[in-house]
């Protein structure tokens, strides 16, 4: 603060610009990241981007039972949820230090 209790506007602008650069770098890292979610001990694997886009689904043939399609559906859903949890964790890891805990920055909520 400057004399008289006034904040230094130039310093605040530099800090805001630095934070914006760090935020952009963190967002770029997230966009390039690929994370994996699994279910059923690895019977179903889902690969997802850091932006939340599902890239691949792999199903072990042992998980396919024509008499029990519901279990396979549950496994796929569980793997997707697990992958989204991994994205959330990575987002918190990358964005937390930059935003200092500020929420509502337009990040995907999983």
């Amino acid at each position: 603060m400057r004399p008289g209790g006034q904040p230094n506007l130039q310093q605040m602008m530099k800090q805001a610009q630095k934070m914006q650069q760090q935020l952009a770098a963190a967002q770029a890292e997230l966009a390039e990241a690929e994370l994996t979610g699994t279910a059923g001990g690895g019977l179903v694997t889902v690969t997802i981007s850091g932006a939340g886009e599902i890239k691949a689904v792999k199903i072990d043939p042992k998980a396919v039972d024509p008499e029990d399609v519901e279990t396979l559906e549950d496994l796929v859903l569980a793997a997707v949820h697990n992958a989204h949890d991994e994205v959330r964790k990575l987002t918190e890891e990358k964005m937390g230090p930059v935003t200092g805990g500020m929420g509502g920055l337009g990040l995907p909520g999983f």
Side-chain angles (χ1 to χ4, degrees):
M1 288 235 200
R2 294 170 38 189
Q6 296 294 322
N8 183 332
L9 188 58
Q10 186 176 15
Q11 182 180 359
M12 287 176 57
M13 292 297 288
K14 284 182 184 180
Q15 287 174 337
Q17 185 177 23
K18 181 179 177 184
M19 184 177 155
Q20 186 177 24
Q21 290 169 345
Q22 290 172 333
L23 184 61
Q27 286 174 327
E29 279 185 62
L30 282 170
E32 293 176 18
E34 283 196 359
L35 302 122
T36 302
T38 62
L43 290 175
V44 176
T45 302
V46 172
T47 303
I48 190 169
S49 75
E53 178 185 351
I54 295 176
K55 298 287 195 171
V57 176
K58 300 219 185 268
I59 300 173
D60 187 308
K62 291 182 262 182
V64 180
D65 179 357
E67 302 296 320
D68 186 13
V69 175
E70 284 185 27
T71 297
L72 180 56
E73 292 169 343
D74 290 343
L75 288 172
V76 171
L77 186 60
V80 169
H81 285 296
N82 184 249
H84 278 291
D85 284 343
E86 294 301 316
V87 170
R88 182 189 49 76
K89 289 176 195 173
L90 183 63
T91 300
E92 289 173 0
E93 177 185 316
K94 296 290 182 187
M95 302 303 277
V98 176
T99 62
M102 296 183 323
L105 293 174
L107 301 174
F110 299 108

